[in-house]
Amino acid sequence: MNSPTPPKRVVLGVSASIAAYKAADLASRLVKSGVEVFPILTADAARFVQPATFRALTHHPCPIDIFEEPYPGEIAHIWLARNCDLFAIVPASMNVIARLANGLAEDMLTAAAMACTAPILLAPGMNTGMWNNPATQANLTKLRDYGYYFIEPTSGRLACRTEGVGRMADVETIFNAIHEMLARQDSWRGVKVLVTAGPTREPLDPVRYLSNRSSGKMGYALAEAARLRGADVTLISGPTAIAPPGGIKFVRVETAAEMRDAVLPYAASADIVFAAAAVADYRPSEIAAQKIKKSPGGSALALSPNDDILALLGTQKRPGQVLVGFAAETENLLVSARRKRDSKRLDWIVANDVTAEGAGFDVDTNIVTVLGKDGEEISLPLRTKREVAEQILEIVRPTQAHSSMSNLGR
Ligand code: CTP
């Protein structure tokens, strides 16, 4: 007999905004819907609402100070950070947003949030001027880049008797968003995902190599989005400057040959492969043992072709396996992408024009068209690479995975 699934665990952080009283209603609704809620207040939030309210509603302690020890034998902020499926901050004040954006972990709420690797959802609530303040807007941009999720505030009458943006979203909207995110965490459970990412480096001599401008961001975003859906993810990456997401198997390689050797053992059992790496098509035919000296008359470089890893996977593809390739182009985008899709026997290819503003290498955004083997052609407008990754997962998902289309702002 299957054991019952344990309840989902949500840390509910409450910071100092007049909307703090609504967090009590949210806590109550979440508990009634079967979610285990662990509340944390900031000291100033406790001037608006009482910890006793949250203790009574959730049947859990409601710490404020970083040095409180409400969980015997545990360092509370680490325990909370590690033991939740989702961390929600409702409302998120200007001050808490600023502290999270700048790494100031000075109370239980910010310390736990910054130690947390589960998704973090913020529902900002504040006065219009504070919301529009450039410092807040810069902090929000930072937090979006760091991967925080947001439920945008709405326009309306504020407690300060003004009208404008800054009113925290309705409790109902926040409740639904939390459940949607929790459901999404299981939507790819049991699905084996293999992602290649980044450039490869093909050595020429002990100090030089041939490479390209791939940052790895698109592949890492796909790996992370798949992990957030509960997939079993392996990321095989060439050299990049970005940290791999937590909770996945990570394999670092340098050359195209190393990438091929790392990919093949995982590819056999993968349900879906995202080949986002910009693999070098050629390598220097000879690797000089010593640094090559300049020759006044110039020099020619002999190159040998590398194996096409994705084409190889196309020839070994097992029934039901989904292969997704990427085509970075500077001209004839769709024609080239269709040709690559068909010649490599891909189910999908994600095409992007790397010359377009906001797309391609080393930027945080992308503009892509996803082309399927059955003639589907879906254009995704300019979005962050994380958003593009989430949409790609929705389009190409293998049969074992469930849809989890989200409208959450990020
Ligand atoms: N790819 C691969 N192994 C290679 C080369 C490419 O797996 N040796 C994969 C990439 O990860 C990507 C897709 O194939 O998913 C890119 O196709 P490709 O035809 O190689 O693109 P380009 O190298 O850009 O080709 P071209 O230079 O002809 O545009």
Side-chain angles (χ1 to χ4, degrees):
M1 212 176 76
N2 288 338
S3 51
T5 10
K8 292 285 186 184
R9 297 174 148 213
V10 172
V11 170
L12 178 61
V14 182
S15 60
S17 152
I18 183 62
Y21 75 94
K22 298 183 185 171
D25 183 21
L26 177 66
S28 163
R29 289 206 210 183
L30 287 171
V31 170
K32 284 185 192 142
S33 68
V35 173
E36 204 172 347
V37 177
F38 295 85
I40 308 176
L41 296 193
T42 62
D44 284 342
R47 296 159 79 112
F48 288 102
V49 282
Q50 289 294 315
T53 310
F54 289 91
R55 282 199 297 270
L57 290 170
T58 65
H59 308 287
H60 285 298
C62 182
I64 296 174
D65 188 87
I66 178 88
F67 292 107
E68 285 182 57
E69 292 178 6
Y71 303 102
E74 302 288 349
I75 301 168
H77 65 287
I78 303 299
W79 187 87
L80 286 160
R82 285 204 189 131
N83 284 283
C84 68
D85 298 294
L86 178 73
F87 200 117
I89 304 184
V90 181
S93 65
M94 178 187 190
N95 183 278
V96 151
I97 287 170
R99 286 193 282 139
L100 293 176
N102 292 286
L104 298 171
E106 60 204 26
D107 58 8
M108 186 67 84
L109 173 49
T110 47
M114 280 187 267
C116 187
T117 52
I120 304 181
L121 176 66
L122 304 188
M126 67 194 75
N127 155 274
T128 307
M130 294 166 93
W131 174 256
N132 288 334
N133 186 292
T136 301
Q137 290 303 316
N139 288 331
L140 291 168
T141 303
K142 257 193 188 179
L143 292 180
R144 285 194 179 93
D145 287 348
Y146 294 164
Y148 284 71
Y149 293 77
F150 285 89
I151 302 183
E152 300 297 327
T154 57
S155 253
R157 182 143 182 87
L158 301 171
C160 45
R161 297 190 191 148
T162 53
E163 294 266 342
V165 189
R167 191 163 170 270
M168 189 179 80
D170 295 342
V171 171
E172 175 81 8
T173 309
I174 300 170
F175 174 86
N176 289 339
I178 288 174
H179 272 285
E180 195 184 320
M181 286 182 74
L182 291 173
R184 182 164 56 171
Q185 289 173 346
D186 294 322
S187 61
W188 284 48
R189 188 85 55 207
V191 179
K192 285 194 173 157
V193 175
L194 174 61
V195 183
T196 69
T200 60
R201 274 183 192 169
E202 310 299 328
L204 184 56
D205 68 15
V207 297
R208 303 185 181 95
Y209 54 79
L210 300 183
S211 191
N212 58 66
R213 296 174 58 194
S214 167
S215 65
K217 285 179 183 165
M218 196 63 241
Y220 282 48
L222 283 161
E224 184 168 23
R227 185 205 42 114
L228 287 174
R229 286 164 162 75
D232 172 1
V233 181
T234 301
L235 172 61
I236 297 177
S237 172
T240 67
I242 46 179
I248 62 161
K249 181 158 182 42
F250 181 71
V251 183
R252 163 89 193 243
V253 296
E254 287 274 312
T255 63
E258 283 173 17
M259 184 170 277
R260 176 202 58 209
D261 294 345
V263 162
L264 292 179
Y266 290 104
S269 63
D271 297 304
I272 181 161
V273 180
F274 293 98
V279 185
D281 291 325
Y282 299 95
R283 64 182 182 281
S285 302
E286 305 252 334
I287 305 175
Q290 306 300 331
K291 187 178 166 209
I292 301 168
K293 294 291 172 197
K294 57 178 158 298
S295 51
S299 171
L301 188 59
L303 298 174
S304 304
N306 285 326
D307 283 341
D308 189 318
I309 305 167
L310 188 54
L312 215 55
L313 301 188
T315 61
Q316 305 174 357
K317 185 166 153 354
R318 59 177 171 74
Q321 188 176 51
V322 177
L323 292 185
V324 186
F326 285 74
E329 307 290 346
T330 55
E331 58 181 352
N332 302 326
L333 178 67
L334 297 183
V335 174
S336 302
R338 286 185 205 112
R339 187 176 41 75
K340 288 181 187 178
R341 175 197 61 197
D342 298 340
S343 67
K344 300 192 193 203
R345 303 189 214 179
L346 307 179
D347 298 278
W348 299 93
I349 192 153
V350 180
N352 71 322
D353 175 353
V354 287
T355 62
E357 182 141 355
F361 296 127
D362 224 8
V363 287
D364 291 323
T365 52
N366 214 349
I367 309 167
V368 304
T369 303
V370 186
L371 299 95
K373 68 174 179 340
D374 297 324
E376 305 92 329
E377 296 197 356
I378 304 154
S379 297
L380 305 179
L382 182 73
R383 291 274 184 278
T384 66
K385 285 187 175 168
R386 310 179 112 251
E387 290 168 325
V388 171
E390 299 206 348
Q391 298 207 303
I392 291 173
L393 291 199
E394 284 303 326
I395 295 168
V396 306
R397 66 178 184 276
T399 43
Q400 310 90 306
H402 309 293
S403 172
S404 59
M405 204 61 205
S406 161
N407 296 316
L408 292 178
R410 239 150 289 120

